[in-house]
Amino acid sequence: MNGHEMISSSSRHSKTTATDANHFVLTFENNRFASELFGQFDQNLKLLEERLRVDARPRGNSVAISGDIVATNQARRALDYLYGRLQSGASIDTSDVEGAIRMAVAADDQLQLPTMERKAKLTMAQISTRKKTIAARTPMQDAYIRAMERAELVFGVGPAGTGKTYLAVAHAAQLLERGAVDRIILSRPAVEAGERLGFLPGDMKEKVDPYLRPLYDALYDMMPGDKVERAISAGVIEIAPLAFMRGRTLANAAVILDEAQNTTSMQMKMFLTRLGENGRMIVTGDPSQVDLPRGVKSGLVEALQILKGVEGVSVIRFKDADVVRHPMVARIVRAYESHTAVHDESEQSDR
């Protein structure tokens, strides 16, 4: 491992017995990396203490960790992984620390992920371009990245803030940079405009820009701004409103359909059957946030039912536990889900 560990000879927790506690010291060779690992004013170690209920006390380039044996091993794996990221030239922030903790805990929850070695080293699936490298921050993000690498059609569904759209665009940018595809096509149903864009001012890009802004933001994160602009001008990155995709065959392309819960059944079938040779499709959406008129079935919800078990199709379902945007977002999602569940039960009891 990257951090060299030694078992501490004395316990600083008098209430903890030898049978349910673990005490050791992690020493890191590079002082600068150790400082970045611990965080400004040791904020990363404080987060580790809060999430895992361990005690982490730094001294120079070492940290003494004590507490429950399972939690201390989770802390060790998380710190070892983060130190490895620093050694590889990446930087870490609070969200990276949160992600490492989530993954370390998941390993002990016996989630069947190919990138985890129980009780040993922690690794996470990554997406890399020349500009940026991002790593999975939850077990479902890890599974999502893996699915996009191997499947031709991937559905990423779940609540806001889980990274499903961001990771899809990042993966597409990676494929384009590697030469695995010739172009990226971004699509999103413009429900607010009733899919009738002709009356909106400007050219097609200007018409649909407001609806595709989240996709643009992810693109500019993964690729230099001037390259994105040139790629759009050259048609290498194409803005394709869903309503205008009928009759096309999308070969050698990474195609992303965002906010897919707002497609109708016919629109979804039309979109999915555009897949051409060496094409990759990623469909993202939140089935709980359908904005279609009352009585109109969501094409995403229907597709998930119809395509269940179809070869080459992978479905990743994110939960509120996978929200990485902000801790408050996860709490908001849980509150709404609880309210919806209570409301549904009330309606059923009234019938």
Side-chain angles (χ1 to χ4, degrees):
M1 60 185 287
N2 296 314
H4 302 288
E5 61 179 352
M6 303 177 294
I7 304 300
S8 176
S9 59
S10 62
S11 170
R12 289 176 283 102
H13 286 269
S14 56
K15 294 181 180 179
T16 306
T17 65
T19 58
D20 66 358
N22 199 34
H23 316 273
F24 57 82
V25 175
L26 288 174
T27 301
F28 301 95
E29 295 176 353
N30 188 299
N31 291 337
R32 180 172 64 84
F33 289 162
S35 178
E36 292 181 43
L37 176 64
F38 299 163
Q40 188 174 21
F41 305 117
D42 300 324
Q43 63 181 6
N44 293 343
L45 295 181
K46 291 174 183 176
L47 183 59
L48 203 73
E49 290 181 316
E50 179 185 337
R51 295 289 186 267
L52 297 178
R53 300 183 183 278
V54 298
D55 186 62
R57 299 192 183 185
R59 178 176 295 178
N61 62 336
S62 299
V63 56
I65 300 176
S66 58
D68 176 83
I69 191 167
V70 173
T72 54
N73 274 304
Q74 291 168 351
R76 172 182 57 78
R77 291 198 300 274
L79 288 173
D80 183 58
Y81 166 76
L82 292 167
Y83 184 74
R85 285 207 66 188
L86 291 168
Q87 284 184 311
S88 68
S91 59
I92 62 172
D93 56 23
T94 302
S95 58
D96 293 313
V97 179
E98 289 270 16
I101 294 170
R102 279 194 187 100
M103 297 294 277
V105 171
D108 279 317
D109 286 342
Q110 298 183 2
L111 290 181
Q112 299 302 312
L113 294 177
T115 51
M116 291 206 183
E117 299 172 31
R118 184 170 168 82
K119 303 294 185 184
K121 190 174 181 180
L122 179 68
T123 59
M124 304 179 196
Q126 296 184 341
I127 298 174
S128 297
T129 63
R130 290 183 187 132
K131 182 178 179 181
K132 190 173 185 178
T133 296
I134 54 177
R137 292 175 178 172
T138 72
M140 282 300 102
Q141 283 195 354
D142 185 278
Y144 188 43
I145 294 173
R146 293 286 174 180
M148 290 188 291
E149 289 174 350
R150 67 174 183 267
E152 294 174 306
L153 173 59
V154 177
F155 288 87
V157 296
T162 52
K164 56 188 182 294
T165 298
Y166 184 85
L167 291 174
V169 177
H171 179 69
Q174 176 182 257
L175 291 177
L176 181 65
E177 193 173 88
R178 289 178 177 175
V181 297
D182 296 334
R183 54 186 173 147
I184 295 173
I185 300 174
L186 308 176
S187 187
R188 196 178 191 186
V191 174
E192 297 86 346
E195 290 294 337
R196 294 181 291 273
L197 302 170
F199 73 91
L200 295 175
D203 60 22
M204 184 52 62
K205 180 177 179 299
E206 292 169 335
K207 290 177 191 290
V208 300
D209 265 2
Y211 306 104
L212 295 167
R213 180 49 51 188
L215 305 180
Y216 279 122
D217 291 343
L219 270 177
Y220 282 105
D221 248 13
M222 300 303 295
M223 300 170 63
D226 58 335
K227 287 191 175 182
V228 174
E229 295 297 334
R230 287 199 301 271
I232 292 174
S233 298
V236 174
I237 296 177
E238 183 182 349
I239 312 304
L242 181 60
F244 290 8
M245 294 186 67
R246 189 175 300 277
R248 301 184 60 185
T249 299
L250 308 175
N252 300 306
V255 191
I256 298 172
L257 175 61
D258 191 35
E259 295 291 337
Q261 75 273 6
N262 290 325
T263 61
T264 64
S265 297
M266 289 182 64
Q267 286 175 330
M268 178 59 78
K269 181 180 178 182
M270 177 273 293
F271 176 80
L272 295 177
T273 53
R274 301 307 95 200
L275 184 62
E277 186 176 354
N278 193 41
R280 296 292 185 92
M281 275 188 173
I282 306 167
V283 179
T284 67
D286 181 358
S288 71
Q289 297 290 321
V290 178
D291 297 322
L292 293 168
R294 184 180 294 274
V296 178
K297 189 171 185 178
S298 166
L300 174 61
V301 173
E302 183 181 69
L304 292 173
Q305 296 169 346
I306 293 174
L307 300 178
K308 185 176 182 180
V310 173
E311 184 180 354
V313 178
S314 181
V315 179
I316 304 299
R317 298 181 184 273
F318 294 93
K319 304 294 183 182
D320 61 90
D322 298 303
V323 172
V324 295
R325 186 172 293 165
H326 189 284
M328 179 59 74
V329 176
R331 293 194 289 271
I332 291 171
V333 170
R334 282 195 293 269
Y336 269 90
E337 287 179 346
S338 297
H339 174 77
T340 301
V342 171
H343 179 70
D344 290 345
E345 288 178 5
S346 178
E347 282 191 338
Q348 290 177 2
S349 63
D350 290 341
R351 290 174 182 173

